[in-house]
Amino acid sequence: MAGVGQLAASRQILVVVGPGGVGKTTLAASLAARTVVEIGGSVLVLTVDPARRLASALGLSRFGNETVEVPTELFTRAGVRPRGSLHVAMLDTKAAWDGLIHRHAPDEQTEQAILANPLYRNIASTFVASHDYVAMEELYELHRLGRYDLIVVDTPPARRAIDFLEAPSRMVEFFGSPLLAWLTMPGRSRSSGFAQRPFHLVANRLIGSTFLADIAEFFLLFQSMYEGFVDRSDAVSAVFGERLAGFVVVSTLEREPVVEAEFLCDELERRELEIGAVVANRVLPEGLRDDAAASAARRLAAAPESVVDRLGNQGLDHLGLVLAELADNYLRYRSVAAEEVALSERLAARAGAWATVPLRASGVSDLAGLLEIGRHLWVGL
Amino acid sequence: MLAARRGSRTLLVDIDGGGDLGHRFGVEPVRYQPTEVQPSLFAMAMNTEDSLREYLHSRLRLPAVVPLGPLGAVLDFVANAAPGVREILTVGKIAHDARERRWDLIVVDASATGHVVAHLAVPGAMAGLIPIGPILDDSAWIRDLLRDRTFTGAVIVSRPEEMAVEETIELAASLMAQSDVELAGVVMNRVLPELFSHAEETTFEALSAGSVRSVVEETVGGPIGPLVDAARLAVERRRSGAAQTARLRSALDAGVELTHVPEVWGEHVGLALTSRLADALDDEWG
């Protein structure tokens, strides 16, 4: 089966999705870095929440709102010659929201009114779904500017990564709701509705008319941007429908992440979106599937003293114990590796491209480490 | 499970509703109404719609079965629209049960790291947004409950890996800065055992190469290279995990207890796994 390389060559956007904690950010960076070496062009990795160590691996003291180019020396130091350039940007939710308001607001006055509204400030910083939405927006904006040949996106950590995909349509639904229209209707005609009365009563007693009025005002301001939101949402959907974009589903080979990754694949298929590749991350070494070694380990575990007898005393302390631990450890890891094989078969069937990245004892600390992971992405099966 | 075993009437709450708590106890998926999954241990899945209904019922004396019709959609919309309504319904429901003293202990499986502080900070944020009304009153007492260190504490569960430790340090800091909840402890989960002692490691090095290795391979009749590689992997993972644990320890306040739960190997799933982890916590906490 092909690796991820072909996908990177034929798409303009690769969205890295998967359950939380499976290494999406590192893989997104590795994929982008390797693309620069293998294919070239101008490649951007858009990340949401990088660890400090990843930033320093990319030669940056820290990520900011601005896009930064990774210095060429870093590639040279890692022993490769880049064919293009690697850029990194981090999503700043608040700044992205402000930019969004700026783009969609019909006039300066509305923009200022929205930015000053306490409800807006609350939405931009704490409203959970808003992170997903602006990530999608920012991605579209970067794509539209056309500065990059490939954009690799690391999606926000969501319990259900699918939230990210649904964000634009949910936002449109939200602003297009008939209730919103009612809320923002002038006061007098509002009282006449049949269905609205109980709501008004309930809402009034619950949160007071002042807050209700605040909400209404906020939505009234936002409604002036409705057209903009709809257009954008359609445009974003179009990008994903046109096969300019591909999804890379990442998972570790543990039961729960795999179940979540399968759910994600189902949802992508249901939306007729292309699962470009599935990547299994942190996979145990192949030596654990060696049957001859397994037999040796079983014999060793059963009778370590026979080896001790053969070796005699060579000044080796705790020899029997070490031999037993050596065998037990292998067999323990082997049973986990066997489970991994079963899980990987389930996942590999889901996409045209498949790659496995081996487990590392410790995190990635430099570009060479990222490129090494990227090399595995290219290999396939 | 440990609390219930020790005689506390315990409620376990799944915030996301997708965590499949039932599976952890070998029963059907749990719902909003708490069900007893083990002796003295009850589990429920949070659902903001049910929580809102319950709230309206108790607070506004609305009949439990409101002629919903369009109102259902309206309520749903409000929960979606007004920022923080969903969050306060979640926190509010739990706080309400806590205040009623229906349980000796409530354990909440919180939302994902990025969202949990928003959840806990919402009573404070509400107070800033809504000037009057029952929600404001409720926000006030909920905040007091969260602030009370003898009543509420946050436990962060981490793993001995770089990213997890990084997130834990950030979460501990933002809990302190943005919420009223005290960090009661950190649990380091899936800690790998030490494979070899120092003396054993010398022996292992001698075994892994040269003539000693060939004698071993002859005796057991097979290659031991993969065994040696697996042992090296285990040793390196343990070492890097220990370094991450040390990093976390030094980043946390000295008063915060760090509990280690060992990796559970093999086929343990569902109830068996839950039970093993409860045993491990029991050992640690004595």
Side-chain angles (χ1 to χ4, degrees):
Chain A
M1 216 186 275
V4 186
Q6 208 174 9
L7 196 66
S10 58
R11 297 291 183 278
Q12 293 174 21
I13 297 173
L14 287 180
V15 186
V16 179
V17 294
V22 298
K24 284 192 293 283
T25 305
T26 304
L27 278 181
S30 299
L31 177 54
R34 197 74 213 178
T35 304
V36 170
V37 173
E38 301 278 348
I39 302 168
S42 187
V43 180
L44 172 75
V45 52
L46 176 64
T47 182
V48 280
D49 186 26
R52 220 163 288 136
R53 189 126 158 249
L54 180 62
S56 77
L58 292 168
L60 312 164
S61 55
R62 51 171 301 149
F63 290 98
N65 313 336
E66 298 302 310
T67 306
V68 190
E69 184 174 346
V70 174
T72 314
E73 308 92 84
L74 249 65
F75 284 92
T76 324
R77 214 179 297 158
V80 292
R81 186 196 300 269
R83 293 172 200 247
S85 56
L86 177 62
H87 308 259
V88 189
M90 193 186 104
L91 183 71
D92 176 327
T93 308
K94 179 69 172 75
W97 263 107
D98 290 354
L100 194 64
I101 302 302
H102 179 72
R103 277 199 294 279
H104 292 325
D107 53 59
E108 173 78 22
Q109 203 187 343
T110 312
E111 183 184 338
Q112 290 311 319
I114 291 174
L115 293 184
N117 190 304
L119 268 169
Y120 166 71
R121 289 207 298 270
N122 195 56
I123 278 204
S125 60
T126 62
F127 193 30
V128 165
S130 80
H131 294 268
D132 295 330
Y133 182 70
V134 287
M136 210 59 157
E137 261 290 332
E138 199 65 8
L139 169 62
Y140 176 73
E141 187 62 16
L142 285 163
H143 170 71
R144 200 181 59 87
L145 291 174
R147 278 191 212 130
Y148 304 100
D149 299 298
L150 175 68
I151 302 173
V152 181
V153 200
D154 163 36
T155 53
R159 177 71 174 264
R160 303 202 137 180
I162 210 73
D163 290 352
F164 178 72
L165 292 176
E166 298 198 322
S169 62
R170 252 187 315 169
M171 205 51 92
V172 163
E173 208 175 288
F174 181 72
F175 287 111
S177 158
L179 183 81
L180 187 59
W182 170 78
L183 254 180
T184 51
M185 229 188 279
R188 216 176 328 140
S189 56
R190 200 189 291 169
S191 57
S192 59
F194 163 72
Q196 292 86 348
R197 279 199 63 83
F199 165 72
H200 193 72
L201 224 62
V202 168
N204 224 345
R205 281 167 71 186
L206 210 54
I207 55 181
S209 54
T210 325
F211 184 51
L212 207 56
D214 280 354
I215 297 179
E217 190 209 36
F218 169 72
F219 285 128
L220 191 62
L221 289 168
F222 248 71
Q223 212 176 29
S224 66
M225 306 191 299
Y226 179 63
E227 294 288 315
F229 272 95
V230 175
D231 290 350
R232 285 292 266 220
S233 174
D234 290 348
V236 172
S237 306
V239 168
F240 286 101
E242 280 167 24
R243 299 223 151 190
L244 295 170
F247 288 85
V248 177
V249 179
V250 180
S251 182
T252 52
L253 295 177
E254 292 173 293
R255 210 165 294 144
E256 279 173 47
V258 166
V259 168
E260 232 174 290
E262 284 180 319
F263 170 77
L264 203 53
C265 288
D266 291 343
E267 292 295 306
L268 288 170
E269 278 167 5
R270 201 164 62 78
R271 289 168 177 74
E272 291 175 5
L273 295 168
E274 187 202 13
I275 305 167
V278 178
V279 177
N281 197 15
R282 303 190 195 128
V283 177
L284 287 170
E286 257 178 67
L288 293 167
R289 279 178 263 155
D290 184 331
D291 291 335
S295 316
R298 271 183 224 109
R299 279 192 288 274
L300 189 56
E305 61 282 357
S306 64
V307 179
V308 178
D309 292 346
R310 272 289 292 277
L311 274 171
N313 186 7
Q314 304 205 9
L316 298 173
D317 293 330
H318 314 293
L319 182 58
L321 201 62
V322 171
L323 289 168
E325 275 163 356
L326 192 63
D328 287 346
N329 179 69
Y330 180 83
L331 294 172
R332 238 183 350 243
Y333 270 103
R334 182 177 161 88
S335 75
V336 181
E339 204 175 314
E340 282 192 354
V341 172
L343 291 168
S344 72
E345 277 162 10
R346 271 160 61 174
L347 280 184
R350 302 304 294 256
W354 162 260
T356 59
V357 176
L359 174 72
R360 302 165 63 96
S362 55
V364 180
S365 59
D366 56 11
L367 186 61
L370 290 176
L371 288 167
E372 172 62 15
I373 290 175
R375 199 176 58 77
H376 290 284
L377 293 175
W378 245 251
V379 171
L381 202 72
Chain B
M1 185 185 265
L2 178 59
R5 277 187 200 166
R6 291 182 177 186
S8 293
R9 195 176 146 82
T10 305
L11 175 68
L12 177 58
V13 186
D14 177 10
I15 288 283
D16 276 335
D20 198 6
L21 271 188
H23 175 71
R24 317 289 157 130
F25 297 98
V27 299
E28 294 292 295
V30 297
R31 297 166 191 281
Y32 185 73
Q33 281 306 324
T35 46
E36 191 165 12
V37 293
Q38 287 279 296
S40 293
L41 176 59
F42 294 74
M44 66 167 284
M46 184 52 72
N47 176 334
T48 39
E49 203 177 305
D50 287 332
S51 170
L52 178 63
R53 236 173 252 255
E54 202 174 274
Y55 180 80
L56 292 176
H57 176 58
S58 70
R59 199 72 197 175
L60 303 178
R61 306 265 164 265
L62 284 187
V65 188
V66 189
L68 278 178
L71 190 61
V74 169
L75 294 180
D76 195 42
F77 180 81
V78 172
N80 269 312
V85 167
R86 242 173 225 293
E87 285 82 358
I88 198 142
L89 282 169
T90 300
V91 178
K93 158 72 181 163
I94 297 162
H96 179 260
D97 281 11
R99 190 166 70 157
E100 297 282 298
R101 307 261 174 198
R102 280 183 208 157
W103 312 97
D104 299 321
L105 178 71
I106 300 181
V107 179
V108 183
D109 177 15
S111 44
T113 321
H115 304 160
V116 67
V117 176
H119 260 124
L120 291 173
V122 83
M126 277 317 229
L129 280 172
I130 306 178
I132 52 157
I135 287 193
L136 180 67
D137 302 342
D138 289 336
S139 299
W141 70 255
I142 292 171
R143 220 177 155 184
D144 288 342
L145 272 192
L146 291 178
R147 209 181 261 158
D148 182 350
R149 295 176 170 218
T150 62
F151 205 94
T152 310
V155 176
I156 305 180
V157 180
S158 189
R159 280 173 68 156
E161 289 163 14
E162 185 190 7
M163 288 293 225
V165 164
E166 195 71 40
E167 254 184 60
T168 304
I169 294 170
E170 278 168 22
L171 180 57
S174 59
L175 264 181
M176 191 128 65
Q178 292 164 39
S179 85
D180 302 319
V181 181
E182 183 202 29
L183 178 58
V186 175
V187 176
M188 190 57 105
N189 195 16
R190 306 188 64 171
V191 174
L192 294 165
E194 186 105 65
L195 191 58
F196 301 124
S197 70
H198 194 68
E200 289 168 4
E201 211 162 323
T202 318
T203 303
F204 167 66
E205 288 305 331
L207 272 176
S208 57
S211 59
V212 184
R213 175 167 164 173
S214 0
V215 175
V216 177
E217 291 190 329
E218 262 169 49
T219 316
V220 297
I224 64 158
L227 280 65
V228 171
D229 292 345
R232 278 199 205 289
L233 181 70
V235 168
E236 275 171 40
R237 288 181 76 199
R238 158 81 194 182
R239 196 168 294 154
S240 115
Q244 292 303 331
T245 307
R247 186 164 75 95
L248 177 59
R249 177 67 274 176
S250 64
L252 293 172
D253 284 345
V256 177
E257 193 187 342
L258 185 61
T259 304
H260 293 235
V261 172
E263 172 83 323
V264 176
W265 297 87
E267 302 294 300
H268 294 281
V269 289
L271 181 60
L273 178 62
T274 309
S275 187
R276 283 287 290 267
L277 294 173
D279 293 344
L281 283 175
D282 200 6
D283 289 346
E284 277 282 318
W285 289 334

